[in-house]
Amino acid sequence: MREGTVTLVRREDYLAPAFRIRSVDLCFDLEPAKTLVSSKLLIERDAQAAPQPLRLHGEGLTLLRVLANGESVSFRHEDGMLVIDHPPEGESFLLEIRNSCCPEKNTELSGLYTSGNGFFTQCEAEGFRRITYFLDRPDVMAVYTVTLRADKAKYPVLLSNGNLVEQGELAAGRHYAKWHDPFPKPSYLFALVAADLVAREQKIRTRSGREHLLQVFVRRGDLDKTEHAMNSLIASVVWDEARFGLPLDLERFMIVAVEDFNMGAMENKGLNIFNTKFVLASPATATDIDFFGVESVVAHEYFHNWTGNRITCRDWFQLSLKEGLTVYRDQEFSMDMSGGASARAVRRIEDVRQLRAAQFPEDAGPMAHPVRPDSYAEINNFYTATVYDKGAEVVRMMATLVGREGFRQGMSLYFARHDGQAVTCDDFAQAIADANPDSALSVRLDAFKRWYAQAGTPAVTARGSYDAEGRRYTLTLQQRCAPSPGQPVKQPFVIPVAMGLLAGDGTSLALQLEGEDNPGATSRVLVLEQPQQSWVFVNVDAAPVPSLLRGFSAPVTLDDGLTDAERLVLLAHDSDAFNRWESGQKLALSRLCAAASGQAPAQLDDAFVEAMRAVLHHPGLDASFKELVLQLPSEGYVAEQLAVVDPQQVHAVRESMRRQLAERLHADWAAIYEQLATHEAYEPSVAQAGRRALANLALSMLCLHAQRSGDPVWPGRAYQRFKDATNMTERLGALSALVESHAELAEPALAKFHALFRNDALVLDKWFALQARAPEQEGRVFARVKALMKHPDFSLRNPNRARSLLFSLTMFNPAAFHRADAAGYVFWAERVMEIDAMNPQLAARLARVMDRWRKLAEPYRGAAREAIARVAAKPDLSSDVREIVTRALADDAVEAAAAP
Ligand code: B3K
Ligand code: ZN
């Protein structure tokens, strides 16, 4: 531990539970101020374990009664646990507990809480202990029977996991419902809902002929926004059965939307609870990105039913067992849903952009941790991009190494071995390898598993040399990985490098390695497992252009040493769409970095501009792909490449290059915009979304140009489009074009937008976010964010609303946030402390925006450190925020210790 202030839980300290809970009978008398919980636990002793006290977790509860086998039993409280020193002897006993809790005061949104006029729960990771005393750990799996009692008029809908077995009336206007979940589950998957809701319902028949009821519950008035969620759920059920042979195992599958929620959604068995943001979508109120988000989160939570619920985690260090695998599954689903090869590539590019934007910085900063962490102070801080997104990349690499069919067989073996169990990441990797004994994975399994154990992003360097006489091309790959906190030295990783070679004219070459009899396919996977390895390709007629890490086959950085000319060949011809995009990004990135570090003027050269023009007009490329290529790498991604970051400089350089693309391609943008005009009925398809995205980019470029030239035509057209739009993607696109170019019409448009959508919370979030993300101009954006904090529609209590303003500013608007006068950091420190008093999980997330403070140039760096220290000095911080700021400040000590 770096500082004595936070207590760490360590993976190596894991002990199997000495007691198991076979069944639970829970009764709730629901009242906002005081809910009574009575719990009957059938507890079994592990015959192997030494006699010991029973210790139950409990947090913020009022204990009313404890009985063991119907008799009173002595107990005490110790370290926040309820300890029964002498539980009844024998194999098993019945423990009865009565306690109360206070849902309306639960602003943490963990455990049982009220939102609007209803009751909702969130138990992962350790929220169940805030409802009643329990062995609140994932390796204790029990069968639940749950009775809910509540006022019928206020809470007509009473839901819990599993099947409804009984319901009826009670005295005094109350009613009850009894639910039984036949599948043993850990407490983190428990859920209940009591609220005034309505449901969209759909009966489906799965392959086995079984009938199931699907329900999406929302507030009255929101039913017309649930069609997409229901369609996404049906598609997910069908896909999991077809691709992995995994059927829906419940008679009833419910999704409930709630407005106050800390994250996206939660996979409670049979009763998924969702942030409204990932359920509600109509063309008029949700963008294409929102529609896609609904589809992917509905799928993700549904897929957890097998990867997470049927097979769960032994302990929270294994979180990626379910999260990495389920993200991989939802990514594959989204690709399959998106259509043809280029739409799939678009999805892959988006996933990689996300990984680079969040996970790479995390892996290089003070919160760097392995996919399977070794320790934590607060488990909620470890629902990270590393556990989720890098974890998904690790699963993807396994699939690459064993092949698609091999992976499916590996999954089947995993379920055959472990269904109904709480297991580890090792168990998963072993099953995939055992099902493919001759695969590239199986023979290197131990080395491959370093991906679970070692933090940090490996850096791969590739250099090629061509021998004209011998017609041989030698490709040499090297890897290294910088130290991470607590991990000064790394062993080499097993890195699958999918690759191909292109001739100078762009044609793909058939690949033949030295020692092979014949040329083979034009793409293959090399496995880099040593610090340095070389491969010799024979029968190569001329110096080729290597296309490496196709489809982003491993989560690494790649220095390919290519020239601009070679990159232009790849951009124009690579058969791998991902690398085509990537070479365009690398061309842009090298220019951005050179200018941001003062090594070159921020002047775009003709070759680059012409290449972009060629992409824009290319008849064979999809609009969605063009839009991705034409977008410059984000300020955050540029910053990650630099040793020392001046956020104002990065912003200025990127804006300048954006303006040059707006000006030099002005006629092209106008032509593209006209070409994309359409009256097609809205569909959230990849193809349509791509056209809308490109049209929005064109419009924003045209408005940006107008800002310089003073020409009122394009802002006028943008305003018109904003007013007339029939869908939110176009409306918001036009509004953004106005706001981002600081057009005069931006203010009236913002006012009109607010008036139109004042009663739609999710759309209001967009209104706040848009203003907080506007390009900074002399401090006005920052001042506006501060003013918006006082807007009657603003509240820090609702996580979506808080994120819309604060995360937009601090994560997505570096130039407005990183101010030379440090006002942004002062504001950040105050908000972190203010939110921490209500909702530590949300506060800790906000705290993390300062992770990379050590990279900042002065005066930002010193001021940032001071702001973090100010938060750290607050005595009554939550363990969540305490862990983040402690690690942020301790980083230099760790790096100094790690230096050779
Ligand atoms: N498993 C939940 C996340 C729970 C987060 C707890 N702090 C959602 C998901 O990954 O599907
Ligand atoms: Zn998940």
Side-chain angles (χ1 to χ4, degrees), residues 124 265-267 297 300-301 304 307 319 322-324 326-327 330 383 388:
E124 189 177 357
M266 177 64 212
E267 70 263 24
V297 177
H300 179 97
E301 306 311 332
H304 266 315
T307 49
L319 184 57
K322 73 178 179 81
E323 296 305 348
T326 304
V327 170
D330 84 54
Y383 286 75
Y388 276 66

Side-chain angles (χ1 to χ4, degrees), residues 675-726:
Q675 273 169 31
L676 290 167
T678 149
H679 295 289
E680 58 194 355
Y682 181 89
E683 249 182 59
S685 65
V686 177
Q688 271 200 12
R691 291 196 283 276
R692 283 187 285 268
L694 186 59
N696 280 344
L697 178 63
L699 189 58
S700 74
M701 286 300 196
L702 291 160
C703 287
L704 193 61
H705 179 256
Q707 181 192 7
R708 270 291 176 81
S709 66
D711 180 348
V713 169
W714 283 104
R717 288 189 68 176
Y719 190 76
Q720 202 60 42
R721 181 173 168 101
F722 159 75
K723 279 201 316 188
D724 299 345
T726 56

